[in-house]
Amino acid sequence: MAPSNKKSSSNATKRSTTVNRRAKPSSTNQRKRKANTVQRRQSSVAPRASKIARKSNIVSSFITKGSTPAISASKLGEISIVKRYDPPKSPNDPNEYRVIQLSNGLTVALVSRHRPYPPASVATTTAASSLTSSSAPSYRPFFVPNTGENAYQYNIQDACSYLPPEHNSNDGDFYSYSLNDDCRETEVWKCEPTPAPKVDIFGDGWCYPKPVPTPYPLTIPKSVPSPTIGAILGCEDGEKGTQFKVKNGGVINPPCYTSIALVVNVGGASDPLNCQGLAHFTEHMVHHGSERHPSEDTQSLLIKNFGNRCNAETRHQRTTYYHEITDDLLENSLDIFSDMLSYPLFEEEHLDREVNAVDNEFHFRRDRNSKDIWMLPFHVTVNENHPLSKFLCGSNETLGHGARVKTFMREFHTQNYVASAMTACINSSKSLRELETLALKHFSRFLRGERKTFQEMWNTTEPVIWQNCDKKVVLQGITSSAMIDFWWHLPASLFTKDPNEMILEMILAMLSDTSEKSLRHHLQQLGLVWDQRYSRLDTSYAAFIRISFHLTERGRANTSEIFQATFQFLEKLQSTPEPEMKRLFDELKWKCQRQFHFGTQYSSLYHTIQFATVLQFVPDEKQLVTYGSWANARFNYQRLIHSLREFRDENLIVLEIIPKGNSIEDWARGKDYKYFHVERAPHTKTPYILVPRKDDNFIANMSNSSNSSSTRFQFGFIPENKFLQEDMNEQRGFGDGDHGGAFMRPPINYGDIKPHTLKGKQEGNGIPRIVGTHMGHTTESYSPYWANVSIYFFSHNVYKNPRNHVLACLWKYCIHFNHAINQKEFGMGGYDVSFVCNMDSILINVLGFPKHMVEIVDKSIASMLQKPISATVFELAKECLKVNMESLLGNNDLVEQTAFECMLYQNEEIFLDSLQDVEKLTLTDLNNYVMLFKRSTYSLVALRGNVPTYMFDSISKSLEQYDFTPHFGNPTDYHLQEPSLKKLFPPGEKCIRIKSQSMSGFCTSVSNCYILGPITTEQAYCLLSALDFMDCQAFLYLRTKFQLGYSVGVSRKEFLAPNILMFTVKVMATARKFSPCELDIKIDEFLGYYCDYLRTITEEQFETMRKLKNVSPNVRLNDVISCFSSIFGPSNCISLGLGFGVQDHLKKCYQRGIRKLSIQVVGNEEKSCSCPLCQSISGWRPGPNTESKLRFATGSGSTREYFVDSFSCNY
């Protein structure tokens, strides 16, 4: 229950007397807290519905207007605003910014997206494409007709509408309606008709098409009397989309969200040596009750039901908390958020459970050696017990039992969670004045303390004593990927002494060059690496630059060449003349200034987190601008050269990862190491050895680098960026203005372009090779600086069979390695070019500024259709594809998704398990496939944003010079037809249990799909409304209460047919802790619990959810409860009237008319289970072919029909 006013007043008085330390609770408060704890424990024996009702009423009180507990006047009088300033912003940025500092030391950035909506009468007549949402960036579309992942199918129909009727016929009896993806996040739905195949899934003569797999798609046969899609969704259909509809018939705007982030300058580096993981554990525990809101579910119920993305993360030296909430509940959210961080309860009843949650997270993130990569280099090379070597995540082993960790946690929280160590950001559509009042009211609760922000404490850290930097760490991998990592540890002063010199940013720009004279290009041309990545880690102890090389077979045998090339490349950078360095500096600064001019910067949750984090590094208000630190950047050539010279051998940490299947002992013997000792990595227990680096002939290579190597590697400095240079030259004389770009020359704005079809030239058979569409551009919704060109090459040969699937993916990687352009140059210039394999097409996607768009598109097309594929590029692509396909086979989510699609839909091939086909392919096979593809393809050019219509003509001329033709008929037939539903199995349970030999084996996932139907329209209304509250309760019940896993939620909600609804509850747990049967039973138990929970929902909560989820006004709460309980509640057909959570695969679902499909992807470290179901497994059958990496459980006796051991099963 919420605390009384008397208690709140006493707490406020107590806090006001505390200055530099937290006051210890009085004995009276201790007795009250103990009594509350006893009362809560005693209440657990009461009926479940009563217990849930008490928790539900807490959140219900927040939804009621004006129910937020007030803060005493004495508290507000104690804390005041001591500093206030408005940072500079772009003249085109409609947002307002303000930074305030409270007298307790906390700094808050306020971002206001306050722009009043037009009157309702105006909104009703305004086209949906011209609406602007305050919750979306101003340079991104709020709503644009005919966009989204399936939009091109609809536009292609229009583009080919001039074909003869026999080439463009659609069955008019059936339409499938799907929600528009671009509008889903802003809760505005648009329904578009698309043709859909038919299948008799019940054997009763009715045919139902398969819907597009998006939340809440509905498929309605016209011949059956049914409400329209608008009526089903409670919305109003319009020519250009759908707007919200309320009971009074007026049109309302979608809910606006506020994002909140708070950063504390403390992380895992501050953990006690005998309690590592404490900072991470504290991050978990603050969410489970506070003084003003003692219920552990208070925040989860509010945010998960009425907000978005509530999470936190712990790093070496900072912990970040963030979430989104609707504007109407912002004050309620801030009240809970500030109190949980300032006065958490840390009750013992939650401690052991949350230790287990941290341990689950550790195992959840162990795949692909990720934990070892980030922990082992520090463990081996820094002095013992140094903060850098600490275990950030924590586990059962390091934290111990709850009572033990509580003694550390209370002191840790008191010392570190103080206002002077915190920075925050509130990003809302409310005005600055409102936000300032809210920040003062709620953030005044944080107490003063000695700990400061990162910028104020960076030079007070413990020095590092480096060791073993002359050796190499060799780690046993858990995947087939071979890697070698170079970690350079550099003095922390490189980025903390004067951040405005942008030293590390300049170095990363040089290292990430992809031009013909770059390190990456040379190593790929030699066939040594297929990928090369760069990253940085900033701590107050040291700065780290990491270069990660993904090795080919040849690279594994020639690591000495990689050493040699890397150091020669660094020597080349160290000798770069000052004018070249200055030119790169100017380009990077100009890129930032141009971004500043282009408009809104802080609009998403990511930007809110970024703003709160930046405040930790800003020494004073003069250094803060809304467009990044480059605004105040200063060029210092001598410091740059000095920093590059820090990349020395003695500052290098080397980590090599040996692929699985290759013993680390065999590797050492193959390298002629006679003396080595296999050790175990801390916490993960992964085998590794520490050996001298002489195996790479490192010293010899360095001594000879100036002689024999100099002719082999012809490195150069990153070339001039012509896109940035041209823009810079054009702006000279136009007026620089304040902040380096306030008066930039504006681009041409091609506004008010309506969506329309662009028809290309027809071939002799009347079929066009090139068609186009413009998605539209309106000044109100798009920035004039944003443009997008997508070129789809459609062919029915892309995914015709598994072999073609592999060839298509292989070609995509060849295009990537064969790129005729410099990706780094394009990225700096403001453009992004990507190549994507879709189910029925290969896509070139170019995103960036309107200027130079045609030139970039031309080069991208040439890299795909013109430049021949060399043998080296082909081998690189094969290496890359093998590693990526194995990674997919080791991904629980993708294996589960594949199983789901193959079980429910006809003509599905398991393309995921095609790894064995890669090895057999040759360059000739690929060239033959490319030739076949070009003979059976046509191109669709889709324009979006500020792109003139005539750009289609320029792109068409570029495409016409290449030989590709749609020789095989109507282009609309080239699209991959949506597979039809299989005939569903009878009511009852089916289970498909899978093991993958490619998995790391740390996690087991269970996805229970519940198929309900046939159902009436009224039942559909009610069930959809019931599911709106389910995701939050699934998390609280399965993740929080029973600690089944780290990842829990409702993963699917969709209609398989007009009267067939399916939803999925998924749990991913630690494999050695839970068997699949345990997870399966608990999910079923949850549905029984959920029936009780629905009875505790108040009318106020339901009305709030109705507005957020657009629930039909005809749905009543009592009907929702009755409908869901009639399916999953206690049944008279089951002995003793037991609920749904019983293990009875023969009767439970059959008697209720439910079809349940349990997809269980089992880790290789699975827990043994003695239940009858697991004991009945007679073996594990290979997948679609004998070389498959997948294995399927086969049942025996009564479970022979229960276990499905083939994807091709027909019921």
Side-chain angles (χ1 to χ4, degrees):
M1 297 178 64
S4 64
N5 293 333
K6 182 177 180 181
K7 181 175 180 179
S8 299
S9 177
S10 65
N11 285 340
T13 304
K14 176 183 66 178
R15 294 169 197 165
S16 65
T17 60
T18 305
V19 180
N20 290 325
R21 61 183 180 87
R22 263 183 228 281
K24 295 183 179 179
S26 65
S27 58
T28 302
N29 286 334
Q30 287 178 340
R31 288 194 296 269
K32 286 182 178 181
R33 189 176 303 159
K34 183 176 181 180
N36 289 338
T37 302
V38 172
Q39 182 181 3
R40 284 193 295 274
R41 290 176 178 172
Q42 290 174 346
S43 66
S44 64
V45 300
R48 285 189 301 172
S50 299
K51 183 176 180 180
I52 301 168
R54 284 192 293 274
K55 294 182 178 181
S56 180
N57 288 335
I58 294 173
V59 178
S60 178
S61 66
F62 291 129
I63 297 175
T64 305
K65 185 177 180 180
S67 61
T68 306
I71 300 177
S72 65
S74 62
K75 179 67 178 177
L76 288 175
E78 179 190 352
I79 302 299
S80 61
I81 297 176
V82 298
K83 184 182 293 186
R84 178 191 292 109
Y85 61 93
D86 297 343
K89 65 167 191 149
S90 165
N92 293 327
D93 187 349
N95 292 349
E96 293 181 313
Y97 302 88
R98 180 168 298 167
V99 177
I100 61 174
Q101 185 174 358
L102 307 183
S103 56
N104 60 3
L106 193 147
T107 303
V108 189
L110 308 174
V111 182
S112 173
R113 296 177 271 108
H114 181 64
R115 289 181 282 281
Y117 284 111
S121 59
V122 177
T124 305
T125 58
T126 303
S129 59
S130 64
L131 292 176
T132 302
S133 167
S134 61
S135 62
S138 64
Y139 55 85
R140 299 290 288 175
F142 170 64
F143 183 82
V144 177
N146 300 333
T147 58
E149 64 178 345
N150 298 299
Y152 63 83
Q153 298 182 9
Y154 181 72
N155 290 312
I156 289 166
Q157 298 285 332
D158 289 342
C160 300
S161 60
Y162 52 87
L163 295 178
E166 59 271 16
H167 289 290
N168 191 30
S169 60
N170 293 322
D171 191 338
D173 292 336
F174 294 87
Y175 287 89
S176 68
Y177 291 87
S178 64
L179 302 182
N180 187 295
D181 268 7
D182 281 3
C183 305
R184 195 182 309 147
E185 292 185 357
T186 52
E187 298 295 339
V188 173
W189 297 346
K190 181 177 185 297
C191 308
E192 300 182 40
T194 54
K198 302 170 291 184
V199 64
D200 179 4
I201 60 175
F202 286 123
D204 56 4
W206 287 99
C207 296
Y208 303 99
K210 175 192 172 184
V212 178
T214 54
Y216 293 4
L218 297 172
T219 308
I220 303 173
K222 283 189 173 181
S223 58
V224 179
S226 257
T228 65
I229 183 65
I232 291 279
L233 298 176
C235 54
E236 185 178 74
D237 293 332
E239 181 180 354
K240 295 186 177 181
T242 302
Q243 295 175 322
F244 280 118
K245 184 179 180 181
V246 293
K247 285 184 177 180
N248 60 9
V251 176
I252 65 173
N253 291 289
C256 298
Y257 285 88
T258 293
S259 55
I260 305 166
L262 186 142
V263 179
V264 188
N265 180 32
V266 67
S270 300
D271 290 342
L273 288 174
N274 57 348
C275 194
Q276 296 185 41
L278 180 62
H280 183 210
F281 182 69
T282 305
E283 171 224 300
H284 277 239
M285 282 301 301
V286 297
H287 291 88
H288 296 288
S290 62
E291 286 190 1
R292 295 164 61 86
H293 309 289
S295 172
E296 66 166 336
D297 300 340
T298 303
Q299 192 199 34
S300 296
L301 287 170
L302 184 68
I303 304 300
K304 286 187 173 293
N305 277 335
F306 308 110
N308 289 315
R309 292 176 286 185
C310 175
N311 210 338
E313 61 177 3
T314 302
R315 299 192 178 186
H316 274 91
Q317 292 183 284
R318 67 176 180 266
T319 304
T320 305
Y321 298 86
Y322 55 88
H323 69 272
E324 286 184 324
I325 190 68
T326 58
D327 284 357
D328 294 340
L329 298 174
L330 172 58
E331 185 164 4
N332 311 124
S333 172
L334 283 173
D335 182 59
I336 299 172
F337 185 66
S338 59
D339 201 57
M340 80 175 196
L341 291 175
S342 55
Y343 297 100
L345 293 181
F346 296 148
E347 293 192 341
E348 292 185 8
E349 61 182 294
H350 308 315
L351 293 175
D352 286 332
R353 190 185 64 193
E354 213 55 35
V355 168
N356 186 54
V358 170
D359 189 70
N360 287 338
E361 182 176 348
F362 166 61
H363 289 287
F364 181 72
R365 300 185 183 279
R366 283 178 60 192
D367 62 321
R368 299 181 65 83
N369 293 110
S370 56
K371 287 293 182 184
D372 293 314
I373 290 173
W374 288 96
M375 290 192 304
L376 194 56
F378 300 138
H379 170 75
V380 171
T381 57
V382 303
N383 47 302
E384 187 178 3
N385 299 331
H386 189 276
L388 278 177
S389 66
K390 292 179 181 177
F391 180 32
L392 303 186
C393 183
S395 63
N396 285 336
E397 177 186 359
T398 63
L399 293 172
H401 57 83
R404 173 185 178 272
V405 74
K406 183 178 180 179
T407 59
F408 294 98
M409 181 170 54
R410 178 61 70 181
E411 181 181 1
F412 180 88
H413 181 270
T414 301
Q415 292 179 353
N416 299 303
Y417 277 65
V418 294
S420 53
M422 296 177 175
T423 54
C425 180
I426 306 176
N427 188 336
S428 176
S429 62
K430 293 182 179 294
S431 66
L432 284 179
R433 184 171 182 176
E434 293 175 288
L435 295 179
E436 193 172 282
T437 301
L438 290 172
L440 176 62
K441 179 179 180 180
H442 295 287
F443 290 153
S444 61
R445 296 176 185 167
F446 295 104
L447 301 180
R448 298 180 178 92
E450 297 181 359
R451 192 170 185 86
K452 305 298 182 183
T453 61
F454 182 90
Q455 177 63 31
E456 298 172 287
M457 296 184 64
W458 72 268
N459 58 352
T460 62
T461 54
E462 179 181 343
V464 184
I465 302 175
W466 299 101
Q467 56 191 9
N468 292 325
C469 288
D470 59 335
K471 297 180 174 63
K472 177 166 67 173
V473 183
V474 183
L475 180 71
Q476 179 67 68
I478 58 177
T479 71
S480 297
S481 178
M483 293 174 55
I484 187 167
D485 277 8
F486 292 170
W487 291 75
W488 273 278
H489 58 85
L490 311 172
S493 58
L494 286 184
F495 73 99
T496 52
K497 183 177 180 180
D498 191 346
N500 290 325
E501 292 179 351
M502 313 305 291
I503 299 297
L504 292 186
E505 287 79 3
M506 284 283 291
I507 292 174
L508 280 177
M510 300 176 207
L511 293 177
S512 57
D513 182 22
T514 58
S515 67
E516 292 185 353
K517 294 187 177 182
S518 66
L519 175 64
R520 179 192 186 103
H521 179 82
H522 278 73
L523 293 179
Q524 288 186 347
Q525 291 300 307
L526 293 173
L528 300 176
V529 303
W530 58 265
D531 195 13
Q532 182 176 328
R533 300 183 182 183
Y534 307 85
S535 57
R536 60 182 277 189
L537 173 64
D538 298 343
T539 72
S540 58
Y541 311 102
F544 296 90
I545 296 289
R546 174 192 174 202
I547 307 180
S548 182
F549 303 96
H550 290 259
L551 306 179
T552 63
E553 289 288 339
R554 181 179 178 184
R556 288 174 55 193
N558 295 276
T559 53
S560 59
E561 294 188 64
I562 298 175
F563 272 83
Q564 186 176 352
T566 301
F567 272 88
Q568 186 177 336
F569 177 68
L570 291 170
E571 288 177 358
K572 179 64 178 179
L573 295 182
Q574 294 166 12
S575 61
T576 304
E578 183 174 357
E580 286 291 290
M581 288 279 195
K582 182 62 166 60
R583 187 260 306 162
L584 175 62
F585 179 88
D586 291 339
E587 289 177 350
L588 293 172
K589 186 172 183 178
W590 175 258
K591 176 187 175 183
C592 178
Q593 291 172 336
R594 184 178 60 179
Q595 184 180 5
F596 159 72
H597 183 76
F598 285 169
T600 303
Q601 297 298 301
Y602 293 91
S603 299
S604 66
L605 177 60
Y606 167 77
H607 292 133
T608 305
I609 298 171
Q610 185 184 43
F611 209 160
T613 304
V614 165
L615 291 175
Q616 287 280 339
F617 297 89
V618 175
D620 57 69
E621 65 269 21
K622 295 181 181 180
Q623 304 297 324
L624 180 66
V625 291
T626 61
Y627 55 99
S629 54
W630 277 95
N632 299 303
R634 294 187 297 273
F635 178 69
N636 189 328
Y637 177 72
Q638 296 301 324
R639 278 254 296 157
L640 268 172
I641 296 300
H642 173 74
S643 301
L644 285 170
R645 288 172 181 166
E646 293 288 339
F647 286 80
R648 302 187 299 268
D649 177 34
E650 56 267 28
N651 291 346
L652 177 63
I653 306 170
V654 180
L655 171 68
E656 185 171 350
I657 300 178
I658 306 301
K660 74 172 184 179
N662 296 271
S663 164
I664 198 168
E665 292 87 351
D666 293 340
W667 178 91
R669 296 186 186 99
K671 294 288 186 177
D672 295 328
Y673 283 101
K674 297 181 180 179
Y675 305 102
F676 60 88
H677 176 63
V678 178
E679 301 181 63
R680 294 282 176 173
H683 314 295
T684 65
K685 307 304 179 185
T686 308
Y688 79 94
I689 59 175
L690 192 63
V691 295
R693 289 211 306 250
K694 65 179 182 180
D695 62 313
D696 293 297
N697 298 317
F698 185 69
I699 299 176
N701 287 331
M702 290 302 298
S703 62
N704 297 327
S705 61
S706 59
N707 300 320
S708 60
S709 324
S710 58
T711 57
R712 184 170 189 184
F713 303 115
Q714 299 297 324
F715 294 117
F717 192 67
I718 182 171
E720 179 181 282
N721 191 298
K722 66 177 183 179
F723 305 113
L724 290 176
Q725 289 291 333
E726 183 175 333
D727 286 348
M728 292 165 65
N729 293 332
E730 288 182 357
Q731 294 298 328
R732 290 194 178 100
F734 186 72
D736 294 334
D738 295 333
H739 308 297
F743 302 100
M744 283 188 179
R745 188 187 304 275
I748 300 174
N749 186 3
Y750 304 97
D752 299 322
I753 300 177
K754 307 300 180 184
H756 62 287
T757 298
L758 307 169
K759 298 182 180 180
K761 296 181 180 180
Q762 299 183 16
E763 297 296 307
N765 57 1
I767 299 174
R769 285 202 311 148
I770 306 165
V771 296
T773 180
H774 201 301
M775 300 299 187
H777 171 250
T778 59
T779 305
E780 293 85 354
S781 60
Y782 272 120
S783 164
Y785 303 88
W786 185 87
N788 178 217
V789 175
S790 300
I791 305 176
Y792 298 86
F793 292 91
F794 288 100
S795 173
H796 59 272
N797 283 306
V798 176
Y799 276 48
K800 191 172 183 179
N801 51 53
R803 189 172 185 272
N804 277 19
H805 156 70
V806 173
L807 284 165
C809 293
L810 190 59
W811 188 23
K812 184 198 78 168
Y813 285 116
C814 285
I815 296 170
H816 172 77
F817 292 116
N818 211 25
H819 214 295
I821 58 178
N822 182 352
Q823 284 277 19
K824 178 65 177 180
E825 180 186 27
F826 275 20
M828 284 182 58
Y831 302 92
D832 178 70
V833 180
S834 59
F835 300 90
V836 182
C837 267
N838 293 318
M839 292 299 291
D840 51 4
S841 63
I842 293 180
L843 164 67
I844 299 176
N845 193 56
V846 183
L847 180 68
F849 304 111
K851 193 175 182 180
H852 307 295
M853 183 62 73
V854 173
E855 177 186 354
I856 295 174
V857 169
D858 287 348
K859 289 188 176 182
S860 303
I861 296 172
S863 67
M864 174 178 173
L865 299 177
Q866 184 182 50
K867 195 171 182 181
I869 301 171
S870 66
T872 300
V873 166
F874 177 75
E875 292 301 324
L876 289 176
K878 282 184 66 173
E879 294 274 359
C880 182
L881 182 59
K882 284 189 294 184
V883 171
N884 279 279
M885 290 192 71
E886 185 182 37
S887 175
L888 296 179
L889 277 170
N891 186 297
N892 290 62
D893 292 331
L894 289 175
V895 173
E896 182 268 336
Q897 176 68 22
T898 300
F900 170 79
E901 293 179 353
C902 291
M903 292 291 291
L904 291 183
Y905 299 114
Q906 294 179 353
N907 304 321
E908 285 289 329
E909 301 253 16
I910 180 167
F911 296 116
L912 185 66
D913 194 19
S914 306
L915 188 61
Q916 68 280 351
D917 293 325
V918 181
E919 295 287 356
K920 304 173 185 177
L921 296 177
T922 65
L923 180 57
T924 302
D925 294 330
L926 180 59
N927 286 328
N928 290 338
Y929 173 79
V930 172
M931 184 181 302
L932 176 63
F933 179 91
K934 291 179 180 179
R935 293 182 57 198
S936 60
T937 190
Y938 81 102
S939 175
L940 167 70
V941 180
L943 309 180
R944 298 177 181 88
N946 191 23
V947 182
T949 301
Y950 61 77
M951 188 176 290
F952 171 71
D953 298 328
S954 301
I955 296 174
S956 296
K957 290 181 180 178
S958 177
L959 287 169
E960 286 172 0
Q961 61 182 308
Y962 300 106
D963 182 22
F964 66 91
T965 54
H967 283 305
F968 300 110
N970 180 12
T972 58
D973 294 336
Y974 284 17
H975 302 293
L976 184 70
Q977 296 298 317
E978 290 286 352
S980 303
L981 278 172
K982 292 180 179 178
K983 183 177 179 180
L984 295 178
F985 55 90
E989 293 190 45
K990 296 286 185 182
C991 174
I992 179 168
R993 186 174 293 186
I994 315 170
K995 284 184 179 181
S996 172
Q997 295 178 350
S998 298
M999 282 189 178
S1000 58
F1002 304 128
C1003 295
T1004 287
S1005 65
V1006 173
S1007 298
N1008 282 356
C1009 307
Y1010 301 93
I1011 304 173
L1012 312 178
I1015 57 177
T1016 65
T1017 301
E1018 290 74 16
Q1019 287 175 318
Y1021 283 131
C1022 294
L1023 289 172
L1024 288 176
S1025 300
L1027 294 176
D1028 286 335
F1029 291 90
M1030 183 176 284
D1031 196 58
C1032 173
Q1033 291 304 313
F1035 180 86
L1036 292 174
Y1037 187 87
L1038 299 171
R1039 158 65 171 80
T1040 302
K1041 182 177 181 179
F1042 287 101
Q1043 293 295 301
L1044 295 187
Y1046 181 70
S1047 176
V1048 174
V1050 180
S1051 58
R1052 294 188 187 91
K1053 290 181 286 188
E1054 60 187 70
F1055 278 88
L1056 301 179
N1059 55 353
I1060 305 296
L1061 174 66
M1062 184 202 68
F1063 69 93
T1064 302
V1065 181
K1066 181 175 181 177
V1067 175
M1068 185 175 292
T1070 305
R1072 59 182 175 86
K1073 292 184 179 181
F1074 300 99
S1075 68
C1077 288
E1078 290 176 302
L1079 300 177
D1080 178 26
I1081 294 172
K1082 280 298 181 184
I1083 293 174
D1084 285 350
E1085 286 181 3
F1086 161 70
L1087 295 179
Y1089 158 87
Y1090 191 65
C1091 294
D1092 293 335
Y1093 169 77
L1094 288 175
R1095 297 187 181 94
T1096 69
I1097 295 175
T1098 64
E1099 290 290 345
E1100 291 84 3
Q1101 288 176 305
F1102 189 72
E1103 287 302 317
T1104 303
M1105 185 65 75
R1106 186 196 300 277
K1107 295 178 182 179
L1108 288 176
K1109 303 294 185 179
N1110 203 24
V1111 176
S1112 168
N1114 298 323
V1115 178
R1116 297 183 303 171
L1117 177 57
N1118 289 337
D1119 296 335
V1120 172
I1121 298 171
S1122 299
C1123 181
F1124 193 87
S1125 298
S1126 66
I1127 300 174
F1128 294 103
S1131 172
N1132 295 329
C1133 299
I1134 301 177
S1135 60
L1136 302 180
L1138 296 176
F1140 194 67
V1142 293
Q1143 187 172 4
D1144 185 359
H1145 70 279
L1146 295 176
K1147 298 179 181 179
K1148 179 176 62 177
C1149 290
Y1150 171 76
Q1151 293 172 341
R1152 297 167 185 267
I1154 300 173
R1155 294 169 175 84
K1156 174 188 168 184
L1157 174 62
S1158 183
I1159 304 174
Q1160 304 171 358
V1161 184
V1162 184
N1164 295 324
E1165 292 184 349
E1166 64 173 316
K1167 176 185 176 182
S1168 60
C1169 182
S1170 58
C1171 74
L1173 285 178
C1174 292
Q1175 294 302 313
S1176 70
I1177 295 177
S1178 60
W1180 293 85
R1181 174 179 172 178
N1185 53 69
T1186 56
E1187 300 178 11
S1188 172
K1189 297 286 185 179
L1190 301 179
R1191 296 292 182 269
F1192 301 83
T1194 301
S1196 61
S1198 63
T1199 63
R1200 186 178 299 277
E1201 298 298 324
Y1202 172 72
F1203 283 107
V1204 181
D1205 58 3
S1206 172
F1207 281 143
S1208 59
C1209 175
N1210 290 309
Y1211 308 113

